[in-house]
Amino acid sequence: MIPTRKTVLSLGAGALAAGLLFFSAQAQEPTPVISDDGVISDDGVISDDAVNEIARGMYCPVCENVPLDVCPTQACHQWRETIRQLLSEGKTEAEIKAYFVERYGDVVLAEPPRQGFNWLVYVVPPVVILAGAIALFRMMRKWRVEVEQTGEPGVVPAPKDDYVRRLEEELERRS
């Protein structure tokens, strides 16, 4: 009798499950314990706060404009685990961010680096706000000058049109 494909797959899955039950993986070196900066807890586990502190400065690779520390996608979970692993290796925040920038580009950073074309992000908004403030100041001065010329706010001086003058005279005589 020739075994069917289903039988072979079932036996293979059973052998794999049995192998996983009997063999366990052991860490080769003890996990470092760093208590001064609070990155690693007393039991050697990197705290979620330390991972999220770095992840807060990065964006999700899948979702647009979602910080890495709050994104529920599997990709973000894997990135947070990578951050946890790099922290356990003793990497600093700058080294971890450089690791991700090297692989995915500057788009993963919440704050773009201050170099090259990115300087416009830091220069343009203050310039636009300053230009808007200057324009608003000039318009307010112009409005004030118009009010001073007419004597009261909201009253526009009468045009020098002959028809309007005659109409106003006629209205005054009838009232």
Side-chain angles (χ1 to χ4, degrees):
M1 179 169 129
I2 300 174
T4 64
R5 186 176 197 196
K6 185 176 180 181
T7 307
V8 172
L9 287 175
S10 298
L11 288 173
L16 181 63
L20 290 174
L21 286 174
F22 291 109
F23 299 107
S24 62
Q26 298 292 326
Q28 295 178 356
E29 295 179 16
T31 307
V33 176
I34 303 171
S35 59
D36 294 341
D37 58 5
V39 172
I40 301 177
S41 65
D42 292 335
D43 59 354
V45 178
I46 304 287
S47 71
D48 287 338
D49 291 337
V51 172
N52 286 334
E53 184 66 33
I54 294 172
R56 193 170 293 121
M58 300 172 65
Y59 278 121
C60 171
V62 178
C63 312
E64 287 189 26
N65 298 325
V66 178
L68 184 62
D69 63 328
V70 296
C71 186
T73 63
Q74 183 63 28
C76 288
H77 177 71
Q78 290 172 350
W79 276 31
R80 287 189 296 269
E81 289 306 313
T82 303
I83 292 171
R84 187 179 310 277
Q85 177 188 0
L86 292 172
L87 281 172
S88 68
E89 293 173 4
K91 303 281 186 191
T92 64
E93 181 177 352
E95 291 172 331
I96 292 171
K97 286 183 178 180
Y99 170 86
F100 283 100
V101 167
E102 181 180 312
R103 283 158 182 73
Y104 304 100
D106 290 339
V107 296
V108 299
L109 298 177
E111 181 180 327
R114 294 179 176 162
Q115 60 188 15
F117 192 67
N118 291 338
W119 271 107
L120 290 178
V121 172
Y122 299 100
V123 173
V124 170
V127 168
V128 168
I129 290 171
L130 183 62
I134 290 171
L136 181 63
F137 176 74
R138 295 180 81 194
M139 288 189 68
M140 290 178 73
R141 276 188 39 199
K142 180 181 175 187
W143 292 337
R144 193 179 79 203
V145 168
E146 286 177 1
V147 167
E148 288 174 354
Q149 287 176 352
T150 61
E152 15 181 316
V155 175
V156 180
K160 304 294 186 211
D161 188 13
D162 188 43
Y163 173 76
V164 173
R165 184 186 53 75
R166 287 188 317 200
L167 181 63
E168 286 179 353
E169 288 174 1
E170 185 69 31
L171 286 173
E172 284 180 15
R173 276 189 273 148
R174 291 189 181 200
S175 47

